Amino acid sequence: MRATLARHVHDRRLQSRLQFGSALGLAVGFVLAALIVSNVLGTGPARFSDFFYQSATPTNQVVIVAIDDASQTALGTFPWQRSTIAALINAIYAAQPRIIAVDVILPDTASDDATLAQALARAPIVIQPIDGMDATRLAPRPDSLPRFANALAPAAALQTKNTLLAHTLLEPDADGILRRVSGVIEIAERRYPAFGIAAILPPADRARAPQLETNQISFGTLDLPANAQGQILINPINPQLQRTLSAADVLRGTINPAELRDKIVLIGLTGSTAPEQFETPLSGSRPVSTVQVQADLIETILGAHTLVEQDRLTGIVMIFLLALLAGATLPHVRVLSAVALTIIYFLFYLSYAFQEFTVGVIVQPFYPTLALSLTWCGAMVYRYVSEERHRATITRLLRRYVPPEAVEQVSNDFSNGALVIGGTRRHVTVLHVDLRELDALTETLAPTALIQLLNQYIALIVAIIFEQGGTITKHTGDAILAGWNLLIDQPDHARHALKAAIEIKRAIAEFAKPLPSAMQITAGIGIATGDVVAGRIGAASRAEYAIIGEIVNMAERLGVKAERGIFMDDATLTQVGDEYATREVKSIQLRRKTDPRQVWQVLMPLDLPEPEATESEPDYEKQDAH
């Protein structure tokens, strides 16, 4: 019966948890999907995807000739004389590089422009920067490139026939991190490729106008993934791995020309005097200059490390899957297990995200992590409200009635549906201990002394009852009612009850030996076996676990017999057998019963004086009424 009830309660609870968990997972999924579609959080969650960036191995095809702090200390603060820049370009050209790209805009004319123009004209191709002027930026169009009416460009005298103009517009995300570069911008209705892209374009594609297409930008034979605004994700390398030479060393001729041979050489400002510096996912607290960003763009393309963001639909589907998985499982386990399970789900998702990144897809972990967290919180609130709070209340209740070592087992039985606190019928053995001699001590002992003495007697009795696996069901100042086979299955419940009775008699006798005779008491004990109705009775804040039945009345009647011995009914004797010596005494007539009940006294197997018999029998009707 108990197993059938447990299965029924378990199945019902399982169904309830699944229903709630599924609804919770769907609700979390819809809320987060709405956040993604509306972009309420902006670029804030992007910082979580920065965790996946790992420095790629450089291609060794890019060299930065840095106009760094050391060069400016040696040659003067930039801008230098055009003749100095010309000497630098001549020194680089002598090493036979593949491309020279000068990431410095020189818009004003100077007296030595001809010297610099002559140096620029010697190379097969020179990349020079052009930038749209912010004051002339045009209103953005949906799914269009950045547009400007006017540009900041090199002086006309420096734009030689071999010059290819390319833009150096860099715009960090709202959180200040530079993750993308505009592949193309429009200036006066003409399109210019990004500086780093221009440096690697095949000769046949340099004259072609770049085209923004669905999810990519086309430069003729070169197609690069991009978003609707033509922005390309960069996959930066560690700045410390980027090959960089000081411009001063190049001018002095102290470098090996082989370091520049057949390389893409970028000339630009670095260090503290760089006009713009940016933080990238790998730069940490040490921002990089524009020329270093262009080097990262080149390395991303040449090293085939291009990235794309996971499409929105796939991301939303992943959120729903995680939320539903967590919703279907977390409500079934307790807090610590739920935490461990959530961490496992998160680690599996991280593994998936890292795998996606290795194939060039950036997965956004913020929303899936938030989905797991919200589902965990919802599941734990549900468990607390629907189960754990009730379980805690039951546990607090049980601590008053059952042995400490049995509390966890009984609480688990209740949680699993194997135990019904609300009301059940049980076949039990009830033990009633009567300490009524204490009433007489109220006139001779001070209140404090009386309460202290009573607590000592009761502590002895309760400890023995718990030691024998009994359950305390009633506790008054001068009486204790306990039961066996109530909350815990105990096939030999009558034997445990009788053993507890004998131990109680022995403990009380031993405890009373050193006390004055006025403070010594004896206990009357009654034991009865039969069916009772058991359950929690009373308001939630003052609930008591009580038993109701004829045998309760029988045990109480036996406990108050004047002989103050151990008495039991016939049903208890039948279960105990002849393990202890007994004798039949006068039967008891219960109220509203026609047949008298046989009563048996246990002949004490103790080192105690045998109780004196008495001819008088108490008025049971009055005691029963009491």
Side-chain angles (χ1 to χ4, degrees), residues 60-102:
N60 295 321
Q61 298 186 54
V62 183
V63 177
I64 295 176
V65 174
I67 304 174
D68 54 8
D69 293 342
S71 297
Q72 296 190 61
T73 300
L75 302 172
T77 304
F78 199 84
W80 294 336
Q81 295 290 326
R82 305 288 166 89
S83 58
T84 303
I85 300 175
L88 177 62
I89 292 175
N90 285 332
I92 294 172
Y93 177 72
Q96 301 179 350
R98 187 188 319 169
I99 293 290
I100 298 177
V102 184

Side-chain angles (χ1 to χ4, degrees), residues 41-317:
L41 301 180
T43 59
R47 282 189 176 270
F48 288 80
S49 61
D50 292 346
F51 174 75
F52 300 117
Y53 282 87
Q54 303 293 324
S55 179
T57 303
T59 62
N60 295 321
Q61 298 186 54
V62 183
V63 177
I64 295 176
V65 174
I67 304 174
D68 54 8
D69 293 342
S71 297
Q72 296 190 61
T73 300
L75 302 172
T77 304
F78 199 84
W80 294 336
Q81 295 290 326
R82 305 288 166 89
S83 58
T84 303
I85 300 175
L88 177 62
I89 292 175
N90 285 332
I92 294 172
Y93 177 72
Q96 301 179 350
R98 187 188 319 169
I99 293 290
I100 298 177
V102 184
D103 187 17
V104 176
I105 297 180
L106 302 171
D108 302 322
T109 59
S111 59
D112 52 355
D113 278 349
T115 302
L116 178 55
Q118 184 179 7
L120 293 170
R122 294 179 63 189
I125 185 73
V126 174
I127 311 299
Q128 292 196 65
I130 185 173
D131 259 343
M133 298 177 67
D134 285 339
T136 66
R137 187 163 190 159
L138 302 177
R141 298 170 183 168
D143 301 340
S144 68
L145 304 170
R147 299 181 303 135
F148 299 86
N150 295 302
L152 184 66
L158 302 179
Q159 296 186 35
T160 56
K161 290 182 179 180
N162 63 337
T163 295
L164 177 62
L165 294 176
H167 82 85
T168 54
L169 174 68
L170 298 177
E171 297 179 308
D173 291 339
D175 60 358
I177 307 297
L178 183 72
R179 301 182 179 89
R180 301 168 178 81
V181 172
S182 293
V184 178
I185 67 171
E186 286 185 5
I187 302 176
E189 298 186 356
R190 181 179 175 183
R191 294 185 172 184
Y192 296 89
F195 190 83
I197 294 175
I200 60 173
L201 282 177
D205 295 333
R206 290 170 184 163
R208 295 181 178 178
Q211 300 297 318
L212 177 61
E213 301 174 1
T214 303
N215 298 325
Q216 71 175 20
I217 295 180
S218 177
F219 299 89
T221 58
L222 177 64
D223 296 325
L224 297 175
N227 63 13
Q229 290 75 43
Q231 294 177 317
I232 299 170
L233 285 164
I234 59 172
N235 195 351
I237 65 172
N238 190 322
Q240 297 179 349
L241 299 179
Q242 179 62 60
R243 181 62 175 154
T244 303
L245 303 176
S246 175
D249 293 337
V250 175
L251 282 170
R252 295 189 191 106
T254 58
I255 66 161
N256 185 351
E259 294 188 67
L260 300 176
R261 186 171 296 119
D262 198 33
K263 305 295 184 184
I264 300 171
V265 179
L266 306 181
I267 303 172
L269 286 157
T270 64
S272 60
T273 60
E276 288 187 294
Q277 294 190 343
F278 302 92
E279 184 178 341
T280 67
L282 281 181
S283 67
S285 60
R286 300 180 62 183
V288 297
S289 63
T290 58
V291 70
Q292 290 172 301
V293 174
Q294 300 300 336
D296 282 335
L297 177 59
I298 295 172
E299 292 283 2
T300 297
I301 299 171
L302 294 183
H305 303 312
T306 54
L307 299 171
V308 295
E309 292 181 323
Q310 187 180 54
D311 67 274
R312 181 180 293 177
L313 178 60
T314 302
I316 291 175
V317 169

